[in-house]
Amino acid sequence: MATTIQPIPSEPGELGERELRAWRGLLRVHATLSKALDAELEAEHDLPLTSYEVLMYVADAEGERMRMCDLAESILLSRSGLTRLIDRLERDGLVCRTTCSSDARGSFACLTPAGRAKLNAARATHLAGVRRLFLQHFGPEEQELLASFWERVLPGAAPKR
Amino acid sequence: MATTIQPIPSEPGELGERELRAWRGLLRVHATLSKALDAELEAEHDLPLTSYEVLMYVADAEGERMRMCDLAESILLSRSGLTRLIDRLERDGLVCRTTCSSDARGSFACLTPAGRAKLNAARATHLAGVRRLFLQHFGPEEQELLASFWERVLPGAAPKR
DNA sequence: GGCAGGTGATTGCATAAGCAACTATATAGA
DNA sequence: TCTATATAGTTGCTTATGCAATCACCTGCC
């Protein structure tokens, strides 16, 4: 299989140039942007990115509260990781836990006024960051295309809201 | 800046549906695929993904050796993180450190025969995983497009090799 | 009703990673 | 030449995270 230049997917034992750039680019973009967005949020609002995500999902949920397990799934964290994260947010007064009346095992995380205020302050920073570092580079139809790409890779995993 | 129009980026205070799917899809795809690829490599070869990346970069480098700082940059790890990672790999006999004759401060990480063997075994698994979970979903010209997208977001960050 | 197995949340423990401080060496400037 | 500053790598410490075990509760089946 003598690939003269590199027209085809290259040998099966190695990624071709094109594949490499498509895949590694994803890794680099994710790593770089996550780090930058986290640093920005932390610098301007003293709020780690994961904490921001919790506040955001909770704020957007029905009644400004979410079950622990749903939250864990939304922000892609293990349940134990989420327990600890909510511990920290509760300690800082940004969320509080309430019991679930229909299932005594469950807890809700809900926003406190301080949490809502923190989120409102941080939201603009984060959204501006996402736009400036990422979305800005793509036109509407390109964004749509990207979304369809992700849908191919993970069918049905699109965020509901 | 082909498309600077931005017809309706939705309100400035919130991400629109399209933006949300383009951005969050990236996060989800990265998280899901990283986890899956790491688990696969760990299960079949008892090798974490970051260790695999070290072996891969070192193997592809001139003389099968790389400076610590270049390696850290390649696999997107802090220098202290890399020190510890190389500690583990050295303990497991997969790489060894050698001094740099032209700069007494520096060290090279280089492959041991065991490291080379481990990499050869793991490479097929990982490449198959990347293709099966990600690249498979895109045609050649779509891969090229993705690569160009990443290049827009992080100009000049494309992998050299 | 009562038991078996499943699910939600938490905890103990282990690990990977970053930051800041430190050591040793290199390089540039007076 | 000597000094100041920058760089390569390591170490101490802290933190976030996951897995496995655990506890409490729910649900379905007899």
Side-chain angles (χ1 to χ4, degrees):
Chain A
M1 200 26 141
T3 56
T4 44
I5 307 297
Q6 43 193 21
I8 326 265
S10 78
E11 316 100 87
E14 208 168 321
L15 288 186
E17 179 67 18
R18 182 195 346 101
E19 295 176 304
L20 212 54
R21 289 188 300 133
W23 170 241
R24 259 200 225 296
L26 169 67
L27 300 182
R28 284 199 110 79
V29 164
H30 174 269
T32 307
L33 267 53
S34 295
K35 197 167 297 187
L37 291 167
D38 184 62
E40 193 171 67
L41 223 38
E42 194 112 42
E44 295 185 25
H45 303 283
D46 192 31
L47 190 73
L49 184 54
T50 51
S51 298
Y52 171 83
E53 298 220 282
V54 167
L55 297 185
M56 213 213 62
Y57 273 101
V58 173
D60 287 348
E62 280 270 322
E64 283 195 344
R65 55 181 208 170
M66 262 181 96
R67 288 291 292 266
M68 297 291 283
C69 58
D70 296 333
L71 207 36
E73 196 175 331
S74 293
I75 69 171
L76 306 171
L77 210 62
S78 69
R79 281 188 317 192
S80 65
L82 185 78
T83 291
R84 248 79 76 139
L85 176 51
I86 297 293
D87 286 348
R88 296 193 291 274
L89 288 171
E90 200 168 27
R91 167 171 50 70
D92 296 344
L94 302 177
V95 305
C96 59
R97 277 181 242 242
T98 59
T99 59
C100 176
S101 53
S102 67
D103 185 341
R105 294 167 302 179
S107 302
F108 286 105
C110 33
L111 279 190
T112 62
R116 205 174 300 119
K118 178 69 94 174
L119 175 63
N120 286 338
R123 200 163 222 158
T125 298
H126 183 66
L127 296 193
V130 173
R131 288 219 174 93
R132 171 171 43 80
L133 296 177
F134 186 69
L135 295 168
Q136 178 227 340
H137 299 288
F138 308 103
E141 68 295 335
E142 289 176 330
Q143 291 177 5
E144 200 63 65
L145 185 62
L146 269 174
S148 76
F149 281 0
W150 306 140
E151 177 65 23
R152 276 190 224 172
V153 175
L154 295 178
K160 341 118 213 233
R161 202 204 134 268
Chain B
M1 38 216 70
T3 59
T4 38
I5 46 173
Q6 279 196 347
I8 297 178
S10 74
E11 316 98 89
E14 209 168 319
L15 288 186
E17 179 66 20
R18 182 195 346 102
E19 295 176 305
L20 212 55
R21 288 188 299 133
W23 169 242
R24 260 198 223 297
L26 169 67
L27 300 183
R28 285 198 110 80
V29 164
H30 174 270
T32 307
L33 267 53
S34 294
K35 197 167 298 187
L37 291 167
D38 184 62
E40 193 172 69
L41 222 39
E42 194 112 43
E44 294 185 26
H45 302 282
D46 192 32
L47 190 73
L49 184 52
T50 50
S51 299
Y52 171 83
E53 299 219 281
V54 166
L55 297 185
M56 215 213 61
Y57 273 101
V58 173
D60 287 348
E62 280 271 322
E64 284 194 345
R65 57 182 206 168
M66 260 181 98
R67 288 291 291 266
M68 298 292 282
C69 59
D70 296 333
L71 206 37
E73 196 175 331
S74 293
I75 68 171
L76 305 171
L77 209 62
S78 69
R79 280 186 320 193
S80 65
L82 185 79
T83 291
R84 248 79 77 139
L85 177 50
I86 296 294
D87 286 347
R88 296 193 291 274
L89 289 171
E90 200 168 28
R91 168 171 51 70
D92 296 344
L94 301 178
V95 306
C96 59
R97 277 181 243 241
T98 59
T99 59
C100 175
S101 53
S102 67
D103 185 341
R105 296 168 302 179
S107 304
F108 286 105
C110 33
L111 278 191
T112 62
R116 206 174 300 119
K118 178 69 94 172
L119 175 63
N120 287 338
R123 200 162 221 157
T125 298
H126 183 66
L127 296 192
V130 172
R131 287 221 173 92
R132 171 170 44 81
L133 296 177
F134 186 70
L135 295 168
Q136 176 229 338
H137 300 288
F138 307 104
E141 68 295 333
E142 288 175 329
Q143 291 178 4
E144 200 63 66
L145 186 62
L146 269 173
S148 76
F149 282 179
W150 307 139
E151 178 66 22
R152 276 190 223 172
V153 175
L154 296 177
K160 16 238 95 202
R161 192 224 151 261

